[in-house]
Amino acid sequence: MNISRTINFICIVVGGLIAFYAQAQQEQNSYILIGGIVLLVFGIYRTSRNIPSKHDKPEESFIKSEKEDEI
């Protein structure tokens, strides 16, 4: 597994655990909850940067142009 993917996964898991922990207490600490959410979103953002867009590759057309038929 790539080190960048490992860091992203750790950020997502730790951020989620911190957010759940901060929300599960009787008296919620807003700063810990915000920190957990920020870490979670940071991990998701870094993961989504590596996913290619569906518009990056050229579209393949099933319709042939007339010029291709003449050749």
Side-chain angles (χ1 to χ4, degrees), residues 37-70:
I37 292 172
V38 166
L39 195 59
L40 178 67
V41 170
F42 177 72
I44 292 171
Y45 167 72
R46 283 181 47 104
T47 301
S48 69
R49 279 191 322 181
N50 297 328
I51 299 173
S53 173
K54 69 178 185 178
H55 300 294
D56 284 347
K57 55 185 172 182
E59 292 184 24
E60 295 180 17
S61 177
F62 294 109
I63 301 172
K64 293 184 179 180
S65 67
E66 292 180 16
K67 292 181 181 180
E68 290 179 359
D69 290 338
E70 293 174 1

